[in-house]
Amino acid sequence: MDKSQEKILMAWLKRQKGACGRYLSLAVIFGFLSGVALIIQAWLIATILQGVIIEQLARDHFLMHFTILVGLIFVRAALSYAREITSFEAGSQLRSTIREAVQQKLVDLGPAFIQGKPAGAWASIVLEQVEDLHDYYSRYLPQVTLAGMIPLVILVVVFPINWAGGLVLLLTAPLIPLFMVLVGMGAADANRKNFAALARLSGHFMDRLKGLNQIQLFSQGETELKAITRASDEFRERTMTVLRMAFLSSAVLEFFAAVSIAVLAVYFGFTYLGHLDFGHYGESVSLFTGLFILILAPEFYQPLRDMGTHYHAKAQAVGAAEELMSLLNYQPSVEHSSNAPALAKPLAQTNTAVSAGANVSPKISNQIGKIDKKIVAIEATDLTVMSFDGQPLVGPLSFKLQSTQKVGLVGPSGAGKTSLMSALLGFLPYEGSLAIVDESGRRQSLSQCDLQVWRSQIAWLGQNPQLFHGTLRDNLQLAGQDYSDKHLKSVLEKAQIGDFIDSLEQGLDYEIQDQAAGLSVGQAQRIALARAMMQDAQWYLLDEPSASLDSVSEVAVMSAISEATIDKSCLMITHRLDQLAAMDEIWVLANGKLVQQGHFEQLSAKEGLFKSMLSGHEQGLAIDLGTTELELQEGKQ
């Protein structure tokens, strides 16, 4: 990894310390007090042995020393326990804050941004990478502070007793962090590659799992199995590289700590034998001095060794921070229409370290317009819908969608229909003017509206409805209101799915499995329609609601939609041009431009794209009907 990039990531990680709250400081305080208690213990032990062995004092003389010594054992145990608890809580607070910021960022950017990366890769970021920040804040950061404080206190205590012992400690102490840095120089880069491999593996596996039917139909099971094996082996090799670095750093630290303690032991040994006579301040080196310093020597290096042991946590955090920082600092190239409402509340609640230091959110307006009156129109003037990297997807468009108006949106694939729908939902950035008009005539830019309120007035139904794992009742009550079973069943009846629900033994408690397993596409679509109708919304935005449905299900869904939108506004994307005769107006998109507008009769009689599409649609419909009749005749024979 480039050094400048690593410095940026380290600066970002340090700015998040505030999310740990007071727990990080408490962990350091408890660790420091434990170190002070250990110094007192060493002094008591050396004093007792000096008095009993050299001065031949009675053991009763040291009764108080023994009592304090035993008491300090329990005190240190309590301090160690308190440090572990506060350290863990510091990491837990940090993870919660970062995970909330990541999830809120994804909510703000919306599904159009999320679909650019496999679901498994997002799962890796939200789960594994956030989780790998824990040890950095709960163990490494407190230990860095303690590694500077406790050895310094020990040096302050040792130098007045014996300058030679203090000098040995002072000169050998830098060796441990020096070799720790040398060994760990490649650890951050190895962890970064490890996380990248994990994200690729997660995304690859999730995509293959979802497309298992297609893999089997094309007889590519063995090929995909080999691909997953290769990806798994790559991840395993990178993980082992990281572990080798961690174990190597620990071994190096233990070696130099042992050598340093051995030097002290040799010095005092030869001093007691009379071969060395330096290091003291006029008096010979006593047993107390030697024992006191030798007892403290391992504890002098222990904070440094612990820092080395947790050094891999820093490397892990640096590796994990790259994608997290990239996501949280991501700024759309143009003003994002969903900035204000999506982030206004979380910014007020999120810890200052994350919201300010991490640039969690794009720049937003200080004024969020409230929607407190009925919306009667949606107006667009020179509207250009943009991708997140600033590329135009559709536009410029100018139109007005009136209250209770039914509009069909048609055009060739890739014309920009879904992109326009996403902009109206607040999921894509845009340039130009896109405003809502209330009954008092006040126009308000969608980018300045409270989109949570705006979306509560929208009933949306896509061509691939997402039903969540849980009961049917849970899925219907996504709006957050506790509706009665009677109301739920009445809405299901309106969605033409009531008979099916009544036939289920569990009824509203029917458990919907992952990917709506156990339901047909038509049943899932009608349940999704019932869920949309639960909002009692004024505006219906429908994206191919009858796609992938058989004729029976299509008739049921379109009938339910017609009934639900009698006195509502409706903008429907469809390829079924025969469904457009009942629409008040038809908008025809081509190459991102609105090329035709008008009633069905007008457009079907006028030369243009719509008439060409209608002719092709009728030919295709005739072929489908002829094929069906032939199959029926063959069946009778």
Side-chain angles (χ1 to χ4, degrees):
M1 179 185 292
D2 182 72
K3 289 296 180 184
S4 60
Q5 176 67 8
E6 185 174 353
K7 289 181 180 179
I8 293 172
L9 294 175
M10 284 302 303
W12 183 84
L13 286 170
K14 289 178 180 178
R15 286 200 299 267
Q16 313 313 312
K17 287 196 300 183
C20 300
R22 65 181 185 278
Y23 295 103
L24 198 61
S25 299
L26 287 174
V28 172
I29 292 171
F30 290 136
F32 178 75
L33 292 177
S34 180
V36 172
L38 189 139
I39 294 174
I40 297 173
Q41 279 186 310
W43 182 85
L44 291 170
I45 293 172
T47 300
I48 292 171
L49 293 177
Q50 170 75 19
V52 173
I53 298 173
I54 303 301
E55 300 176 7
Q56 299 293 314
L57 297 175
R59 296 179 183 178
D60 295 342
H61 184 76
F62 300 101
L63 185 59
M64 182 60 69
H65 293 72
F66 274 113
T67 303
I68 297 174
L69 184 61
V70 172
L72 285 175
I73 294 175
F74 293 100
V75 169
R76 287 195 63 205
L79 289 171
S80 297
Y81 176 77
R83 180 189 168 188
E84 286 295 322
I85 293 297
T86 52
S87 296
F88 179 84
E89 192 60 35
S92 179
Q93 293 265 348
L94 184 282
R95 284 183 290 125
S96 297
T97 303
I98 294 293
R99 188 168 283 126
E100 180 183 352
V102 169
Q103 292 172 343
Q104 185 57 51
K105 185 71 173 184
L106 295 178
V107 168
D108 173 58
L109 294 174
F113 177 83
I114 294 173
Q115 289 171 0
K117 186 177 289 190
W122 290 120
S124 175
I125 292 175
V126 175
L127 298 176
E128 283 89 351
Q129 297 196 24
V130 173
E131 203 68 30
D132 279 312
L133 297 178
H134 178 86
D135 283 351
Y136 176 77
Y137 293 95
S138 67
R139 298 190 180 278
Y140 180 76
L141 282 184
Q143 196 57 48
V144 168
T145 305
L146 293 174
M149 295 171 62
I150 294 178
L152 182 62
V153 173
I154 291 177
L155 286 176
V156 169
V157 173
V158 168
F159 261 108
I161 299 173
N162 186 279
W163 62 264
L167 192 63
V168 171
L169 295 176
L170 181 62
L171 294 177
T172 55
L175 292 175
I176 292 179
L178 174 64
F179 280 92
M180 178 183 70
V181 171
L182 292 176
V183 172
M185 283 180 64
D189 190 46
N191 271 282
R192 181 181 62 83
K193 293 178 180 177
N194 190 47
F195 283 123
L198 176 60
R200 287 195 299 271
L201 176 61
S202 300
H204 185 94
F205 182 74
M206 181 67 75
D207 286 347
R208 270 53 183 180
L209 194 63
K210 291 171 67 176
L212 193 58
N213 291 341
Q214 287 80 0
I215 292 173
Q216 291 178 331
L217 289 172
F218 285 96
S219 301
Q220 292 298 308
E222 289 294 329
T223 303
E224 292 299 331
L225 183 61
K226 291 178 181 177
I228 291 176
T229 301
R230 286 195 299 271
S232 300
D233 286 341
E234 179 189 1
F235 178 65
R236 176 182 56 80
E237 290 172 1
R238 295 191 185 281
T239 302
M240 294 307 297
T241 299
V242 174
L243 291 175
R244 277 198 301 271
M245 289 183 177
F247 287 125
L248 178 60
S249 62
S250 297
V252 169
L253 298 181
E254 292 293 336
F255 172 76
F256 282 101
V259 169
S260 302
I261 295 171
V263 170
L264 276 175
V266 169
Y267 161 73
F268 283 113
F270 277 95
T271 299
Y272 290 140
L273 293 173
H275 298 296
L276 296 177
D277 188 23
F278 65 88
H280 52 80
Y281 297 99
E283 298 181 0
S284 59
V285 177
S286 65
L287 179 63
F288 168 84
T289 302
L291 287 174
F292 181 62
I293 295 176
L294 285 173
I295 292 172
L296 289 181
E299 305 305 327
F300 176 84
Y301 298 108
Q302 189 61 46
L304 298 171
R305 290 153 66 188
D306 289 342
M307 184 175 70
T309 302
H310 300 313
Y311 188 76
H312 71 281
K314 172 191 171 184
Q316 269 188 327
V318 171
E322 185 171 26
E323 283 201 63
L324 287 170
M325 187 184 75
S326 176
L327 172 63
L328 294 175
N329 287 351
Y330 180 80
Q331 300 279 0
S333 300
V334 292
E335 181 186 1
H336 189 186
S337 61
S338 64
N339 284 350
L343 287 175
K345 182 178 179 181
L347 277 175
Q349 296 175 342
T350 304
N351 187 280
T352 304
V354 176
S355 59
N359 295 323
V360 170
S361 66
K363 184 178 180 181
I364 64 174
S365 170
N366 291 327
Q367 298 295 326
I368 298 175
K370 293 183 179 180
I371 304 174
D372 50 10
K373 293 185 179 180
K374 182 181 178 181
I375 304 302
V376 298
I378 302 174
E379 292 184 358
T381 305
D382 296 328
L383 171 69
T384 301
V385 182
M386 312 294 288
S387 67
F388 285 95
D389 57 1
Q391 299 299 315
L393 299 175
V394 57
L397 306 174
S398 296
F399 59 82
K400 185 173 184 178
L401 181 61
Q402 301 278 7
S403 176
T404 71
Q405 187 179 18
K406 313 295 187 298
V407 175
L409 185 60
V410 300
S413 296
K417 303 183 293 295
T418 301
S419 297
L420 175 58
M421 190 78 77
S422 295
L424 294 175
L425 291 168
F427 291 142
L428 277 177
Y430 63 83
E431 292 180 343
S433 173
L434 180 59
I436 58 177
V437 183
D438 63 25
E439 56 188 353
S440 66
R442 184 173 68 106
R443 298 178 76 259
Q444 190 173 355
S445 174
L446 192 63
S447 63
Q448 302 300 318
C449 292
D450 187 336
L451 288 189
Q452 290 180 343
V453 178
W454 165 236
R455 288 170 182 157
S456 69
Q457 301 189 32
I458 297 174
W460 178 82
L461 181 64
Q463 52 186 302
N464 297 307
Q466 174 65 52
L467 298 181
F468 298 96
H469 182 82
T471 65
L472 179 61
R473 182 185 287 102
D474 294 337
N475 274 269
L476 292 175
Q477 291 186 339
L478 275 182
Q481 301 186 36
D482 189 16
Y483 294 105
S484 66
D485 288 359
K486 182 179 179 181
H487 181 70
L488 295 179
K489 289 181 178 180
S490 68
V491 175
L492 289 168
E493 289 290 340
K494 293 178 182 178
Q496 306 290 325
I497 193 67
D499 292 341
F500 170 72
I501 302 303
D502 291 338
S503 68
L504 297 173
E505 182 179 350
Q506 303 95 326
L508 292 173
D509 293 320
Y510 175 76
E511 193 80 14
I512 296 177
Q513 303 300 319
D514 292 333
Q515 305 298 319
L519 297 173
S520 69
V521 176
Q523 290 166 348
Q525 189 77 330
R526 278 177 278 175
I527 292 173
L529 175 59
R531 182 176 60 188
M533 293 166 61
M534 293 296 298
Q535 288 188 255
D536 192 26
Q538 180 62 34
W539 299 83
Y540 275 72
L541 301 183
L542 311 174
D543 187 357
E544 297 283 3
S546 61
S548 305
L549 298 181
D550 59 81
S551 58
V552 176
S553 297
E554 180 181 355
V555 170
V557 168
M558 295 309 299
S559 173
I561 290 175
S562 298
E563 183 180 348
T565 58
I566 289 176
D567 57 346
K568 308 292 177 68
S569 303
C570 177
L571 176 63
M572 181 174 71
I573 299 174
T574 181
H575 283 99
R576 296 300 304 267
L577 304 185
D578 55 315
Q579 299 171 352
L580 297 175
M583 292 290 175
D584 298 327
E585 195 172 22
I586 299 170
W587 297 349
V588 184
L589 277 180
N591 298 320
K593 302 293 190 298
L594 194 57
V595 295
Q596 286 184 292
Q597 276 181 275
H599 298 292
F600 182 85
E601 293 79 7
Q602 294 174 330
L603 297 181
S604 59
K606 182 180 179 181
E607 292 297 328
L609 178 60
F610 182 78
K611 186 174 182 179
S612 300
M613 293 174 60
L614 187 61
S615 298
H617 177 75
E618 289 174 348
Q619 292 176 6
L621 190 61
I623 293 173
D624 289 342
L625 290 173
T627 303
T628 303
E629 290 177 0
L630 180 61
E631 290 173 349
L632 289 172
Q633 291 175 3
E634 291 176 348
K636 290 179 180 179
Q637 294 175 358

